[in-house]
Amino acid sequence: MAEPTDPAVPTATPAPPSAREAAVPGRPLSAGVALLATAVAVINLLVGGVLTVVALTGHVLGAWPSPDPLSPGLLGAAMLGTAPALFTLARATTWQQARTLVLPLIVVPAGLFAVSLVNVRRLYIAHGGPIISVFFSLGWLLTLGLLCVAAVICLAGQAFTRSGPAAPRTVPLPGWAKPALAVLGSSWLGIGTGLLVRPGFWADFVPWQTNRVDAQALGVWALALGVGVLGSLAEDDLDRTRPALLSLPGTALAMAVVLAVRAAHVDWASGPGLSLIVMVGGLLLAGASGRLLLKGDAGTREVPGGTG
């Protein structure tokens, strides 16, 4: 006689992959954007390190002739300062956590490539010069061009990434910091736009000797810094801007080292010289205070019943 069988127990049907992905708050960060950030970080370390070291020794190395080592040295310092933050983007999980740093990351290669093309006749590759400089200018153009193409592809892939529910803002910016960030970001954005659009006029506001290409290249980096600071203000969340907060003090410290070594070539007593001190100090203060606020918030979360 056959024994009765137990009634079938219904089993939960797993949700399709698309439903599971949609349940994750925010838009997932695409692998392409993370790889692009890592590639740019490696390039920044190599090229930025060479430009900085050469400038500190009092020599000029770059894709174009510069009247003073300070300009290419500051370009290299900015590249070095942002490299550690770019490496941390690989650990970000959502686009919201990365875009404050990714947007300046796109501005820099696109802007420098455009400046190089507009002033291609001033590059060593066009009019000749030391063989090292000629090869450097060739590699400069090729690298920037490839980065621009890669950026377009990666951003297109990120745009088509399926987005989940809106990610909440967990650590809002304190009210007292917003006016200072607005002034700091607008200052960098304004001087960067001026140097890029009208270098012949705004180059006089740079407290050391520059030429047209130097002014426009420095303007690209100033513009990117302004975009990053104002982007952090628009995000209004310290947790989303962790990589950007790391890049601000790193960039400020690297620039401060180059300016200190080449201090004799800077007109510190002028208005632009004093403004430069305030703006670089503002980057350092903004990044350091943001990191301290994040640590303080993490500490209050670990203490049961702690108050904000």
Side-chain angles (χ1 to χ4, degrees):
M1 179 175 181
E3 296 182 359
T5 58
D6 294 335
V9 178
T11 58
T13 304
S18 59
R20 291 198 301 267
E21 292 176 2
V24 179
R27 184 184 297 274
L29 184 67
S30 67
V33 173
L35 288 175
L36 176 65
T38 302
V40 174
V42 173
I43 294 172
N44 281 2
L45 281 179
L46 298 177
V47 180
V50 171
L51 291 176
T52 303
V53 171
V54 172
L56 293 179
T57 60
H59 298 85
V60 176
L61 175 64
W64 56 84
S66 297
D68 192 281
L70 193 52
S71 292
L74 286 176
L75 293 178
M79 297 171 74
L80 277 179
T82 56
L86 291 174
F87 279 120
T88 64
L89 280 184
R91 297 197 297 269
T93 57
T94 64
W95 168 245
Q96 285 79 3
Q97 294 173 333
R99 61 187 173 190
T100 309
L101 188 58
V102 172
L103 295 180
L105 166 66
I106 304 303
V107 169
V108 171
L112 290 178
F113 187 60
V115 167
S116 301
L117 290 181
V118 171
N119 299 280
V120 67
R121 294 184 179 181
R122 293 180 171 90
L123 302 186
Y124 282 112
I125 191 176
H127 65 78
I131 188 64
I132 295 179
S133 299
V134 172
F135 279 110
F136 186 90
S137 64
L138 177 61
W140 176 271
L141 275 178
L142 291 177
T143 302
L144 289 176
L146 290 175
L147 288 178
C148 289
V149 174
V152 171
I153 297 174
C154 293
L155 287 181
Q158 181 65 62
F160 287 101
T161 303
R162 185 183 298 273
S163 178
R169 287 176 168 83
T170 56
V171 192
L173 289 173
W176 55 263
K178 293 180 180 180
L181 284 177
V183 173
L184 179 64
S186 300
S187 300
W188 282 106
L189 187 71
I191 189 65
T193 303
L195 288 170
L196 190 59
V197 176
R198 295 192 61 188
F201 174 78
W202 285 92
D204 294 336
F205 291 87
V206 179
W208 63 84
Q209 190 177 5
T210 60
N211 57 23
R212 177 184 177 87
V213 194
D214 284 340
Q216 290 187 313
L218 292 172
V220 169
W221 270 104
L223 184 67
L225 289 172
V227 169
V229 174
L230 293 179
S232 300
L233 184 62
E235 290 289 353
D236 193 18
D237 186 66
L238 289 171
D239 193 45
R240 291 186 182 185
T241 58
R242 287 177 184 270
L245 290 175
L246 180 61
S247 69
L248 293 183
T251 303
L253 289 174
M255 293 174 64
V257 170
V258 176
L259 289 170
V261 174
R262 306 294 301 174
H265 294 248
V266 182
D267 186 6
W268 297 108
S270 63
L274 296 176
S275 300
L276 180 64
I277 295 175
V278 174
M279 292 168 67
V280 174
L283 293 177
L284 180 61
L285 183 60
S289 60
R291 301 297 296 182
L292 288 176
L293 289 172
L294 275 173
K295 289 183 179 180
D297 180 78
T300 56
R301 290 182 185 182
E302 293 175 0
V303 178
T307 58

